[in-house]
Amino acid sequence: MENIYLYMIIALAILAIADLVVGVSNDAVNFLNSAIGSRAISFKTIMIVASLGIAVGALFSSGMMEVARNGIFNPGEFMFDEIMIIFMAVMITDILLLDFFNTFGMPTSTTVSIVFELLGASVAIALIKIGHKGGDFSDLINYINTSKATEIVSSILLSVALSFSVGAFVQWVSRLLLSYNFEKKAKWVGALFGGIAITSIVYFIFMKGIGGTSFAKESYEFTGGETIKDFLKHNALNILFISFVLWFLISYSLIQFAKTNIFKLIILIGTFSLALAFAGNDLVNFIGPSIGAFQSYLDFTNPAVNTLGLAANEFSMESLGAKASTPTLLLFIAGLVMVITLWFSAKAKNVMKTEIDLANQGDTKERFQPNFLSRGFVRFAILSSQISSYVLPKSWQAKIDKQFEVPVITLNKDKNYELPAFDMVRAAVNLMVAAALISLATSMKLPLSTTYVTFMVAMGTSLADRAWGAESAVYRVAGVLNVIGGWFFTAISAFFAAALVAYLLNLNVPIMFPLLLVTAFALIIKSSIAFKKKSKEVKAEDSLTKAESSSIQGVIYESANNIANVVKRGNRIYTNAINGLAKQDLALLKKNKKQIIKLSDEVDELRDNIFYFIKNLDESSLGASNFYIHILGYLQDMTQSLEYITKVSYKHVQNNHKKLKFNQIKELKEVDERFETFFNNTQNAFDSRSFEQIGIILGRKQEILGLVSSKIQKQVERTRTEESSPKNTTLYFSLLLETKDLLNATMNLLEEYYAAHDRSVKPATLRKPEAEE
C-alpha cells in the first residue's frame, strides 16, 4: 500500500510541471499586456525582460511555499494519507480549472483557485473524519483556517473596486497633464512622471517581489537588526522620498542628455517587476501542493521523524506546521519551465488578447455580446457625463476634450503592421498603478490578488482614456463583467471540484488515483486538440479576407477570392440543407446551421471593415468603394437566403413535421443538381479569373430561373388537388422562393463584377495589378 504514495509523488511532480504550464499561460497577461499592447518595445525584448523577472522571482519564492503547507488547513489534524489525498485533489483540479479558463482566453486568479481548492479538499476530508468520529459540523473550525477564506473573498471585492477606481483616476489626471502629444511636453514633465512611476515600481519590487521571500524575513546588520521586510515597512516614507528624488534626476538626465524615451524605460522596469513578483509570490500556486506532498512523504518515510514507524493513517502531519525551505534546484527547474512556457504557449497569447482587446484604443473585433447589465452601466455613464457637462464651464470642457483628442494616425500600407492597442502613457500608468497598489496592500497586509489588480487597473485606465467609445462601450463592459463573473466562478467551482475529487480519492486511493489522473490528462489533451483545431479554423484558407488594395483593379482581384469562397461554401450548405431535409437528418442540419452562421459572421465582419477600407483608398480610386460596397451587399443577400433555407429546414425536422413527399424531394434534388453545376461553374470562373465563363453563366440566367419557377407552378397545382399538409406546402414554397432570391443575388453579383471588370480592363482574364504583386 505504501508504494501507492511513491507513485502519487511521481504523479504530483508531473502535475506540478503541467500546472506551471497552464498557470503561466493564464498569468502571463498580468505582466505582458501593457508592454505588448503599447508596442513600445520589440516583442523579443519584452519576452527577455519578462523571462529575467520570472527567473529571479522563482529563485526568491521559497518562503511562500508555507501557504500550501499550513495557510488554509491545520496540518496537525490530518494524517499522512489524508494530506496526500488533499494535495492530489488540489493539483488535479487546478490544472483542469486553469486549462479551462486558458482555452476560452479568460484571465483568472491562480491565488484564488489554489486557496479554494485547498479549502474544498480539506473541508471534504475533514467532514469525512468528523462523520466517522460522530462529531458535529461545528468541529470543522478545528481543521480549517476559516479566516483565510473570508480574507480572500473580501480581497476579490476590494481588488475590483479599488483597482478600477484608482486606475481610472490616475489615467485621467495623467492624460489631462500629458495629452497624447506627451513627447512634445517639457523635459521636466516627463522626468516628474518618470520619477513617480519608477519609484512606485522599484518600491513594488522590494515590497512585493522580494519582501515576501525567505531571505527578506532574516535579520541583517545593515538594517539595524530588523528583517528586510520590517525595515522597508518602517522606513517607507523615507525610502520613497529618496527614491523619487534619485529617479527624477536620473529621468531628467536620460531625457536631456541621452535623448531617452522615459516611457519605454518605465514599461521595461514595470514588466520586469511584475514578472518578478508573479514568480516570487505565485509560484506556490502551481507547485506548492506538490512540494508540500513531497516534504510530507520525506517526513513519513524518515525514521528520525516517524520514530514509531506509524502507518499512513496513523502518522500526524504536524511537521507541515513548521517552517521549511524549498531546495534551490527545484525552484530553478520551476523557473525554467515557466520561462519556456512563456515563450511557446499559444494559450498565453489567447489570454493576453482578451485583455488587450478590451483595452484597445481603436476598433477591434468584439469578442463579447452586450447584456442588460452592460447596457445599464453604459446608460448610467452617459447620464453621469451629461450631468457633469452642465456643472463644468464650457471653456473647461473644451480644454479637457482637447487633451483627450486622439491624433490622426496615417494607416500603414504594410499589411502585417498592427497599430498599438494604446499608447505608452497608458501602458506606464497601468504598470505604475498596479505596482503601487500591490505594494501598499502588501505593506498593510491586505490580500490583494495580482491578477485582479492588473486587470482592473487596465480596464479603469481604458475607461478614463475614452477607449470605450459609443461604438464599443457595451461590448467592452460586457467583457469586463464576463471576466469578473469568471473570477467568482473560479472560487465556487474550485471549492466544489476539489471537494469532489478528494471524496472520490478517499473512497479507494489505489483505484481512484490512476483513474482520475488518466481522466485529467485525457481532458487536457482533448482541450489542447480542440484549441489547436479552433486556431486552425480561424486561420483556415476557407476564411474570407478583408480587401486591402487601394485601386479598383486590386479590389476586383481580391474580391474574386471571397466570391469563390462564398460560392463554394454556399454550394455545400445548400446541398446539405436539401439532403438533411430528404433524410430527416437533424445532426446534419444542425451542423449546417453552424456553418452558415460562421459564413454570415465573416461577411458581416467584412462589412464592418468598410470604414477602414474607404479610408485607405487612393484619391484616384474612389470608384472602388462603390464596387466593394455593392459586392458585399450581394454577398450578404446570398448568406441571408442560405441562412433562411437552413433555418426552416432545421426547424421542420426538429419539430417532427411530416416528411416531404417523394415528388417534392425529387424536384428539390433536381434544383440542387442544377444549382451545383451553376455554383461549380461560378467558383471555377472566379478561381481562374475567367470573365468569358462569367459571361456564359450570365447568359443562362433565365434557364435556371425558369427551372425554379416551373417547380413553384407544379406545387401550386399539387396544393389545389392532392396536397394535405399545410406545413409541407409552406416549407416547399419557402425553399423555392428563397432559392430564387439566392439565384438573383448571385446573378446580380456576377453582373456587378462583370460590369466593373469591363470598365477597368478589357482582357478576358484578370491579372493581379503589377503594383500590388
Side-chain angles (χ1 to χ4, degrees):
M1 177 65 182
E2 288 185 7
N3 285 336
I4 192 69
Y5 297 114
L6 177 61
Y7 297 141
M8 289 177 80
I9 292 297
I10 296 169
L12 281 166
I14 297 169
L15 286 170
I17 294 172
D19 207 23
L20 279 170
V21 172
V22 294
V24 172
S25 298
N26 187 279
D27 279 11
V29 66
N30 294 344
F31 50 87
L32 289 181
N33 76 299
S34 293
I36 292 174
S38 65
R39 299 178 68 84
I41 310 151
S42 70
F43 181 76
K44 189 176 180 181
T45 303
I46 293 167
M47 295 296 280
I48 290 170
V49 169
S51 300
L52 288 172
I54 287 175
V56 175
L59 292 174
F60 287 164
S61 66
S62 176
M64 297 299 292
M65 295 301 165
E66 291 176 21
V67 174
R69 290 164 55 92
N70 51 45
I72 305 301
F73 54 81
N74 299 319
E77 299 293 330
F78 295 94
M79 302 301 142
F80 172 69
D81 61 335
E82 295 163 344
I83 284 292
M84 290 298 291
I85 288 174
I86 289 171
F87 285 142
M88 179 60 72
V90 167
M91 291 302 289
I92 289 175
T93 306
D94 201 52
I95 59 171
L96 289 175
L97 195 64
L98 291 180
D99 187 69
F100 171 80
F101 277 92
N102 293 345
T103 302
F104 288 94
M106 300 285 280
T108 191
S109 172
T110 52
T111 303
V112 168
S113 63
I114 199 76
V115 166
F116 276 89
E117 283 154 6
L118 282 165
L119 188 63
S122 52
V123 163
I125 298 300
L127 289 175
I128 291 169
K129 285 173 69 73
I130 291 167
H132 287 163
K133 291 178 181 178
D136 190 73
F137 186 78
S138 60
D139 295 337
L140 190 63
I141 198 168
N142 299 323
Y143 296 86
I144 307 301
N145 188 349
T146 52
S147 62
K148 192 68 177 180
T150 308
E151 217 174 35
I152 291 295
V153 172
S154 63
S155 77
I156 294 175
L157 301 174
L158 184 63
S159 299
V160 170
L162 186 66
S163 304
F164 187 85
S165 305
V166 175
F169 176 74
V170 174
Q171 177 61 34
W172 188 82
V173 173
S174 300
R175 186 65 73 196
L176 196 62
L177 296 173
L178 296 168
S179 78
Y180 280 93
N181 298 312
F182 54 91
E183 291 173 337
K184 296 179 182 178
K185 293 288 180 181
K187 294 179 176 59
W188 69 266
V189 176
L192 180 66
F193 187 87
I196 296 171
I198 299 175
T199 296
S200 65
I201 291 169
V202 171
Y203 185 72
F204 166 78
I205 291 175
F206 285 103
M207 200 69 221
K208 183 70 174 174
I210 298 174
T213 60
S214 57
F215 80 84
K217 296 174 183 176
E218 303 294 332
S219 300
Y220 299 93
E221 288 184 18
F222 71 90
T223 60
E226 287 186 302
T227 64
I228 290 178
K229 190 171 184 179
D230 289 337
F231 179 79
L232 289 171
K233 188 167 63 174
H234 296 153
N235 298 279
L237 291 177
N238 293 333
I239 293 170
L240 287 171
F241 177 75
I242 294 168
S243 180
F244 167 71
V245 173
L246 180 65
W247 283 111
F248 172 79
L249 294 174
I250 292 173
S251 299
Y252 188 83
S253 300
L254 288 172
I255 297 169
Q256 177 69 34
F257 303 111
K259 308 299 180 187
T260 302
N261 186 327
I262 198 64
F263 294 95
K264 288 186 179 182
L265 181 62
I266 294 168
I267 292 166
L268 273 177
I269 297 174
T271 301
F272 174 84
S273 70
L274 284 176
L276 182 147
F278 154 70
N281 292 271
D282 289 0
L283 185 60
V284 63
N285 300 340
F286 314 131
I287 67 171
S290 295
I291 297 292
F294 176 63
Q295 290 170 335
S296 300
Y297 181 77
L298 291 179
D299 288 345
F300 172 65
T301 55
N302 186 353
V305 180
N306 188 2
T307 54
L308 300 176
L310 298 173
N313 61 349
E314 298 172 334
F315 182 70
S316 174
M317 290 311 305
E318 289 179 10
S319 58
L320 283 183
K323 285 190 176 183
S325 61
T326 307
T328 305
L329 178 62
L330 292 179
L331 295 176
F332 173 78
I333 294 170
L336 187 63
V337 172
M338 292 168 84
V339 170
I340 292 170
T341 302
L342 183 67
W343 281 85
F344 296 104
S345 173
K347 288 187 178 181
K349 296 179 180 69
N350 192 33
V351 178
M352 279 186 277
K353 189 177 186 307
T354 298
E355 185 165 324
I356 291 172
D357 283 351
L358 289 174
N360 203 311
Q361 189 72 41
D363 292 312
T364 184
K365 185 179 178 182
E366 304 296 349
R367 292 184 53 184
F368 300 94
Q369 292 303 313
N371 51 51
F372 77 96
L373 279 176
S374 69
R375 293 188 187 100
F377 278 122
V378 171
R379 288 194 187 100
F380 176 75
I382 292 171
L383 183 62
S384 302
S385 178
Q386 289 172 345
I387 292 170
S388 66
S389 66
Y390 291 115
V391 176
L392 289 175
K394 295 290 183 184
S395 57
W396 286 25
Q397 288 181 46
K399 286 179 181 178
I400 291 171
D401 289 340
K402 190 174 182 181
Q403 293 297 90
F404 282 84
E405 194 174 292
V406 181
V408 177
I409 300 173
T410 306
L411 292 175
N412 194 301
K413 298 294 181 183
D414 181 4
K415 294 178 183 180
N416 296 318
Y417 178 76
E418 262 185 75
L419 286 173
F422 39 81
D423 70 350
M424 285 183 273
V425 170
R426 177 133 63 99
V429 169
N430 284 346
L431 293 165
M432 173 181 68
V433 174
L437 284 176
I438 297 170
S439 303
L440 179 66
T442 302
S443 65
M444 297 174 65
K445 297 185 179 179
L446 292 173
L448 287 188
S449 165
T450 308
T451 301
Y452 297 164
V453 171
T454 52
F455 179 82
M456 292 310 297
V457 165
M459 295 304 101
T461 58
S462 304
L463 175 67
D465 219 20
R466 302 185 181 181
W468 298 352
E471 295 182 0
S472 63
V474 287
Y475 304 99
R476 305 284 175 87
V477 173
V480 173
L481 293 174
N482 270 276
V483 172
I484 293 173
W487 294 343
F488 286 95
F489 173 74
T490 300
I492 296 168
S493 55
F495 180 90
F496 287 106
L500 176 63
V501 174
Y503 171 75
L504 293 173
L505 283 169
N506 185 73
L507 291 177
N508 192 318
V509 173
I511 293 175
M512 297 308 298
F513 153 60
L515 185 64
L516 288 171
L517 198 64
V518 170
T519 304
F521 279 110
L523 289 171
I524 289 174
I525 292 167
K526 183 182 177 183
S527 165
S528 298
I529 293 170
F531 180 79
K532 286 179 182 177
K533 187 178 177 183
K534 187 178 177 181
S535 299
K536 284 180 182 177
E537 283 178 4
V538 172
K539 298 177 183 176
E541 295 176 5
D542 232 11
S543 300
L544 304 184
T545 54
K546 296 174 184 176
E548 293 171 327
S549 296
S550 55
S551 65
I552 181 71
Q553 282 183 269
V555 175
I556 291 173
Y557 179 88
E558 289 181 347
S559 297
N561 293 327
N562 283 341
I563 293 168
N565 193 314
V566 172
V567 167
K568 178 182 75 173
R569 292 161 70 182
N571 185 11
R572 184 169 63 239
I573 289 165
Y574 187 84
T575 300
N576 286 343
I578 301 303
N579 288 341
L581 200 56
K583 298 174 185 177
Q584 297 281 287
D585 190 340
L586 190 62
L588 176 63
L589 291 171
K590 188 176 182 179
K591 184 180 178 182
N592 208 39
K593 198 176 172 187
K594 289 180 181 177
Q595 289 176 345
I596 183 57
I597 289 171
K598 184 176 183 293
L599 179 59
S600 184
D601 286 344
E602 288 177 29
V603 173
D604 287 343
E605 193 177 339
L606 291 182
R607 287 179 68 86
D608 292 341
N609 192 55
I610 285 176
F611 172 82
Y612 303 100
F613 165 72
I614 294 173
K615 283 276 189 184
N616 197 36
L617 284 175
D618 294 337
E619 287 290 334
S620 58
S621 304
L622 292 178
S625 61
N626 287 329
F627 166 74
Y628 189 59
I629 290 166
H630 287 147
I631 287 294
L632 290 183
Y634 294 134
L635 287 177
Q636 192 170 48
D637 289 343
M638 290 170 66
T639 55
Q640 284 174 348
S641 293
L642 287 166
E643 197 167 1
Y644 181 82
I645 290 168
T646 305
K647 186 179 74 174
V648 295
S649 302
Y650 175 77
K651 185 179 176 183
H652 187 86
V653 175
Q654 187 188 36
N655 290 338
N656 298 309
H657 293 315
K658 281 185 182 179
K659 189 176 179 180
L660 291 176
K661 290 187 176 180
F662 176 77
N663 286 338
Q664 291 173 322
I665 292 172
K666 183 182 175 183
E667 288 169 10
L668 285 175
K669 287 278 191 180
E670 286 176 23
V671 173
D672 179 38
E673 286 172 10
R674 185 66 187 86
F675 258 69
E676 188 160 359
T677 304
F678 164 64
F679 279 136
N680 284 335
N681 290 339
T682 304
Q683 183 190 339
N684 292 334
F686 282 99
D687 279 339
S688 62
R689 311 298 196 271
S690 172
F691 287 85
E692 287 180 351
Q693 286 188 46
I694 292 178
I696 294 169
I697 294 168
L698 286 170
R700 293 174 179 167
K701 178 179 178 180
Q702 293 305 320
E703 174 195 333
I704 307 174
L705 280 171
L707 175 66
V708 178
S709 297
S710 68
K711 304 302 180 188
I712 293 173
Q713 185 58 39
K714 281 187 179 180
Q715 180 60 27
V716 170
E717 293 170 3
R718 272 198 297 267
T719 303
R720 290 175 61 84
T721 57
E722 58 188 74
E723 188 62 72
S724 60
S725 171
K727 296 289 184 187
N728 278 11
T729 302
T730 302
L731 173 66
Y732 194 74
F733 278 132
S734 297
L735 291 173
L736 290 179
L737 289 171
E738 208 60 48
T739 298
K740 202 170 182 180
D741 288 346
L742 173 62
L743 178 63
N744 282 325
T746 310
M747 287 296 183
N748 288 340
L749 184 146
L750 294 176
E751 287 168 0
E752 179 72 33
Y753 202 92
Y754 194 71
H757 168 258
D758 211 35
R759 289 192 298 268
S760 60
V761 288
K762 289 295 180 185
T765 303
L766 177 65
R767 294 186 306 106
K768 188 175 182 180
E770 290 182 11
E772 301 187 17
E773 285 181 342

